[in-house]
Amino acid sequence: MSQSDNGLSLARSQQDAPVELEERIVAKETPLPWKQVIPLVAMRLAEPINFALILPFLYRMIEDFGVAETPKDISYYASILFMSFSISQAMTVMYWGRLSDRIGRRPVLIAGLIGTLAVSILFGVCKTLPMAILVRLAAGVFAGNAAVMKSAMAEIADDTNRSRMMALLPLTWNFGSMVGSGVGGIFSNPATQFPDLFGNSKLFTYFPYLLPCLIGSTVAAFGLVAGIFKFDEALIKPTQPTQEEIIGNTEEMPLLTQSTATSVTPVKQSSMRSLLTPLVVRVMVTSAFMCLAYTMCDQLYPIFAATDPRDGGLGLDPRSIGLSLGVEGIVVVYIQLVVYPRLERKFGVLYCYRRGLSFAIPYLVSMPFLSMIALHLKNQAGTSATSMVVETVVMWVILMSIMVMRVTSNVMAYTSTSLMITNMAPSRADLGVMNGAQLLSMSVVRIFAPIVSGSMWSWSIKHLFPFPLNSHLVWTLSAMLIAVALKLSYRIPESVNKFAADQLKPIANAEEADD
């Protein structure tokens, strides 16, 4: 080989070496920026705790309102409360997302926490159904923080740690739901449950559901303090450099960074029409079916659990309902922080989404069969104590196994949906409105899901129709909706696995290439 060839080979190897080094550095996961993450998590906890703490006592609360003619009608009025929250959330969530793109994430998050704190206390003093509906409407107005937090989390992450950081939000939701369910079940009606401590309290005797709501508002206050004093604004608004700056920088910059410098362009918010590409619509449609099925059953479960076994329920008291909702959270940390990030990094977001949907079908189909065991236990009351204990343990083991399957499915499906929507945002300036649009579509679904499941549940247990039109009806329909979502997911291309805002190729071109 000639000397010139040797020189050329050496030059090429020296030029390629930094590229290989850069690729190795990018492949290694960046440590999480805990200084920003911890305040975000503290702020995020307020919503799931305050949402979930009402579930264990909601059946008894509506019963105390005296509006239901029979216990079989309680689910209908519970669905009205759930629906009122979703209506106001759907009407305001896009406003919060777009506002956060303009004025910043921090002020919007703080405003939402102030509202959550106030409405949590107000719900604890509700004595009538109309008042409870008004408070739930107000709660929905301040429930836009979820979309804003997704945007903030995506902005402080990079490609190597984005899946792990985005997974923290549903982890926080599931952990908060676990804590909230436990708080609602344990501390509702404290004058009766803890007579030594609260038996003489006129306040908690007249407002039996105030104590758990006060605990929830304390969590919101803690998140508010963290947001004000610890969280730094995550929204960065890039500006367009002058031509002289670009030329001057490119002359002094190394060759590898020139393309980045010369590609700087003004970042403008895209119109809603341009954001709703066929791919985005496709993802939102399949997630809407998924959300409809999950919401129908998630909001039916506390009513199903409190319903008499003779009517197709489990006959659990508020404390047991809170326990059943809380125990599943033990596995959430491992699934969310260990299992999901590994699967996502190895197989991609789309794979995780499909696997999450696959887990949902067996859980939905098997849940109503637990009523048969609960009915058997009720009929055997007063017989052999040993037999009762064994059968009760068996029922709880099966119930917890189903609940673990439920939370695994929820974690994988919802986390993947959030990541897909975030990945499809054409620029960081559009993250707020993209996440807001996703939350809006889910909020619209959640308007109809409770009233559908509540009405269908009341109708199914009032009539003596055979399977699947009996107490299995809502669960079976939800399983069918999940099957539709799963089938639609196979029309989504692999381009959703990459964060488009940091890619040189526009998202539209990526869609065309994958399609």
Side-chain angles (χ1 to χ4, degrees), residues 49 157 188 243 316 405 413 471 506:
I49 287 179
S188 63
Q243 187 68 21
L316 301 180
M405 192 180 302
S471 57

Side-chain angles (χ1 to χ4, degrees), residues 197-253:
L197 291 175
F198 303 104
N200 296 325
S201 172
K202 294 182 179 180
L203 177 65
F204 293 126
T205 300
Y206 187 71
F207 298 114
Y209 310 108
L210 176 59
L211 181 57
C213 294
L214 287 175
I215 296 173
S217 66
T218 302
V219 176
F222 178 77
L224 183 61
V225 172
I228 293 174
F229 296 104
K230 295 295 183 181
F231 181 67
D232 297 325
E233 180 57 60
L235 179 63
I236 299 175
K237 296 183 178 181
T239 57
Q240 183 180 16
T242 64
Q243 187 68 21
E244 291 76 9
E245 289 175 334
I246 294 176
I247 295 173
N249 288 339
T250 54
E251 290 176 350
E252 299 174 0
M253 287 181 178

Side-chain angles (χ1 to χ4, degrees), residues 477-500:
L477 177 60
S478 297
M480 294 171 62
L481 291 170
I482 290 293
V484 173
L486 181 59
K487 183 176 181 179
L488 291 174
S489 70
Y490 283 92
R491 298 185 59 197
I492 300 174
E494 296 292 332
S495 60
V496 297
N497 291 330
K498 296 181 180 180
F499 187 55

